[in-house]
Amino acid sequence: MKRIPFIIAIHALSMLLLSLTGCNTMPKPDLKLWYEQPASRWEEALPLGNGHLGAMWYADPQHDELQLNDETVWGGSPHNNVNPLAAEHLDEIRQLIFDGKNEQAEALCGQYVSAQQANGMPYQTVGSLRLDFGLPKGTEQQGDTIGYTDYTRELNISKAVAKCTFEAGGVRFTREVFTSFTDDAVIVRLSANKKHSITFTATYTTPMRGTTCTADADAATLTLRGKGSSHEGVEGKIRFTAISRIVARGASVTADGDDKLAVNKADEVYIIISSGTNFKNYRDVTANADSMAEAPLIGLRTFAAHPALYYKKVLQAHSNYYASLFSRVNLFLGINRRVFLPTDQRIREFAANDDPQLVELYFQFGRYLLISCSQPGGQAANLQGIWNHQPFAPWDGKYTSNINLEMNYWPAEVTALPELHEPMLRLIREVSETGRESAAMYGCRGWTLHHNTDIWRSTGAVDGPSNGIWPTCNAWLCQHLYEHYLYSGDTDYLASVWPIMRGACEFFIDFLVPEPTHGWMVVSPSFSPENRPPLPGRPTFSVVAGATMDNQLVHDLFTNSIHTAELLGEDALFIDTLRTLRSQLAPMQIGHWGQLQEWMDDWDNPRDHHRHVSHLWGLYPGNQITSGGTPDLFEAAKTSLVARGDASTGWSMGWKVCLWARLLDGDHAMTLIREQIKPAILPNGRQQGGTYPNLFDSHPPFQIDGNFGCTAGIAEMLVQSHEGFVRLLPALPSDWKRGKVSGLRLRGGFEIQELSWADGEVTRCTIISHLGGPLRVMTEAGILDINTRKGEKVMVK
């Protein structure tokens, strides 16, 4: 049996003691991912970030690597990719669809609606800081590998600090890394329990073309300069600079060639890594990359004088800021001896073992990732969040807005991180500006975009006619604007985003068209994201009219806009127009095998296991399908979800956790959690939807949205507030025998101060009212109505 590292054993014992004693006053131990070996691949490295900078740390004793990202290193430059021919051919395309000639309509969409050149720009990498360490005297060596013992590495997500320790040549080495929120730099500390033990060289490597790396021994700095790629006819105009400054105690820093620094026999070493680009905003790339990269180093200029003291100060400021966000929500689902095992082993064995604390860790890891990759004033989290080691991220790392971008922010409001919603809300404001070009290409007022955008806020229909003809994303994005209001109650904020919501409505007032059979108003041309009707005997097509998801989205937009306009005192004629159009939208329909139809026609195949479940948007994240309000549609949605199956891509399983929670089936939601927290890498090396050793979600490859979707789903299993009242433990699985949660937010300005349960029953519930007003809670006796005062704490019995 392997020896458990001492610090990990103490951590695990304290958690187990907390569980056994049920003590509410004992400080809760930190949450950690930990491993007994260095990372051997990118999906094993430990992710760190501060919104602007991302780092993936391998923690290798001899050949260490910190792979680096800057949120504004993208290919291309300001542009848009709309097709100006769409309006001229729109009537022809629609008529073909209504005549049942969808394949021909799709071909015309390829010519006259799809972007003809740029399909969106790629999110790119900066490169890696490489640290190659010398061997301590007396170290055994096998080939080029250090013989080290007693190795552990960990990521403490309660503090946002990573650490590794090991012994080599009779010396105990410790390395620590964090990405400072307050000083905007990656900070590395290398130490040992014997003086003169730290020897290494440092340099940059990068897969990006046209870069330079220079070493300056006098300044003890390495500087990497590069540029974003030109792509699909759009010139790359991003310029980036990354600087690493080395502070060595007990040794000097010398040059080892033009692109490498060396440290020999130091007592302790600190490395400060910063990055900057010339990006100002989606229209302007005139900043000075060198100046942006140097700014954090100027702020840390006193570091070299008293490095140990200043390191503690910088670390404390970083930890305090991070804790102010992370500590808002606490979850306890139980704990057992499996907490003593390394995280990668727990993932491998999760399907066959009871390990409730791993679910807690996964939930909080999602919150950690959102804090680390989405900070106010920065860019929104993309398909990879902020972490990408390739010059062209998978799917270009863009903002895929037919599910993935939105899923990234599902946990933001409910798990008490509303400030982190700001980058996405600002992205929505910016695409509402560029999206006027997309509305105009159809001859419409207002604004819209299709299924993808990028840092330049392009809004055209990309990736060809089978994937990109979807002008309904504006309605989904407006749901995020409105949800932020529902949780905060901030009417000043709502007034500030009303022009965006109104512009989306104006687009559909102009764009909706009556279909010939029923006279319903529908979105056409469009599609049900990434799926195709399975019709035997016909060529495949995706372009349709009146897809169920579109009907739900436009209904949601109109409903939220009517409420907003009434609240703000907007003109009655506009409100009446929305009411009239909403009543004419195509309804949700139940098909011949009891399913909720995905399309306006009854085309669904019960053997279709497609990853997208777009027609269930009205169940989650929408609120149009509920057990009490629409029981027949509720059952039809369940029938559709059962037929779709459980195992799928990682993000799809995260969505299904949310859907089964809304279906009030906690055990089935737990089945999906077990599917999601299964090894993404099979013994034969093949990959599947699941979880990588570092808890990253696997599509495959890595996509961060699955992490966020599952985190939101776990919250949805514990409390729901979308029906106009609060449900406590609406989808509690039988596995979670007892537990407690605090800090989750509810619509209407309420917060769960404490929700405890045992054997499936609520034992204690206290809700804080931050705004005052009516609180409605579902109990066994029915809905309990409580009038609350601002700041009041309500005990729900």
Side-chain angles (χ1 to χ4, degrees), residues 146-345:
I146 290 179
Y148 55 85
T149 59
D150 201 18
Y151 177 96
T152 63
R153 63 185 173 104
E154 66 176 46
L155 173 60
N156 185 328
I157 64 170
S158 296
K159 295 180 178 176
V161 177
K163 180 180 179 181
C164 87
T165 61
F166 60 92
E167 189 168 312
V171 180
R172 187 72 182 167
F173 292 91
T174 301
R175 298 177 190 168
E176 295 170 300
V177 182
F178 63 94
T179 308
S180 173
F181 290 95
T182 46
D183 288 284
D184 195 20
V186 181
I187 310 292
V188 182
R189 178 176 179 258
L190 313 174
S191 61
N193 65 352
K194 292 183 181 179
K195 290 187 174 184
H196 314 307
S197 297
I198 302 173
T199 297
F200 67 93
T201 59
T203 192
Y204 281 114
T205 61
T206 179
M208 300 294 289
R209 295 181 177 180
T211 60
T212 62
C213 178
T214 57
D216 184 339
D218 294 334
T221 58
L222 280 170
T223 302
L224 176 69
R225 293 184 177 90
K227 65 185 291 291
S229 300
S230 298
H231 186 59
E232 296 182 340
V234 181
E235 182 183 355
K237 292 187 178 180
I238 286 292
R239 301 295 183 266
F240 66 84
T241 301
I243 303 173
S244 291
R245 174 163 293 165
I246 299 175
V247 178
R249 298 180 67 189
S252 58
V253 179
T254 60
D256 185 0
D258 295 334
D259 61 355
K260 190 179 294 184
L261 292 177
V263 175
N264 187 41
K265 296 182 179 180
D267 301 335
E268 188 175 46
V269 176
Y270 300 86
I271 306 174
I272 306 166
I273 308 166
S274 64
S275 174
T277 74
N278 61 338
F279 180 89
K280 282 189 173 181
N281 57 56
Y282 72 93
R283 292 191 178 109
D284 189 345
V285 289
T286 60
N288 185 289
D290 283 2
S291 297
M292 299 300 291
E294 290 165 359
L297 300 180
I298 293 172
L300 292 167
R301 59 186 176 274
T302 58
F303 205 110
H306 304 284
L309 180 64
Y310 208 77
Y311 176 82
K312 292 180 180 179
K313 179 181 176 181
V314 171
L315 175 58
Q316 189 64 57
H318 159 81
S319 297
N320 288 346
Y321 175 85
Y322 174 77
S324 72
L325 297 168
F326 184 79
S327 63
R328 293 173 183 175
V329 172
N330 281 291
L331 174 63
F332 178 77
L333 298 175
I335 198 168
N336 56 34
R337 291 178 58 85
R338 300 200 66 78
V339 76
F340 288 98
L341 301 175
T343 304
D344 50 345
Q345 182 178 346

Side-chain angles (χ1 to χ4, degrees), residues 131-150:
L131 306 177
D132 292 314
F133 289 86
L135 303 177
K137 186 177 180 181
T139 299
E140 295 182 5
Q141 185 174 357
Q142 298 177 349
D144 293 329
T145 303
I146 290 179
Y148 55 85
T149 59
D150 201 18

Side-chain angles (χ1 to χ4, degrees), residues 485-508:
Y485 158 72
L486 289 180
Y487 279 92
S488 68
D490 186 343
T491 53
D492 290 338
Y493 155 79
L494 187 62
S496 74
V497 299
W498 165 241
I500 302 173
M501 297 173 66
R502 179 173 180 133
C505 291
E506 288 171 343
F507 172 76
F508 288 110

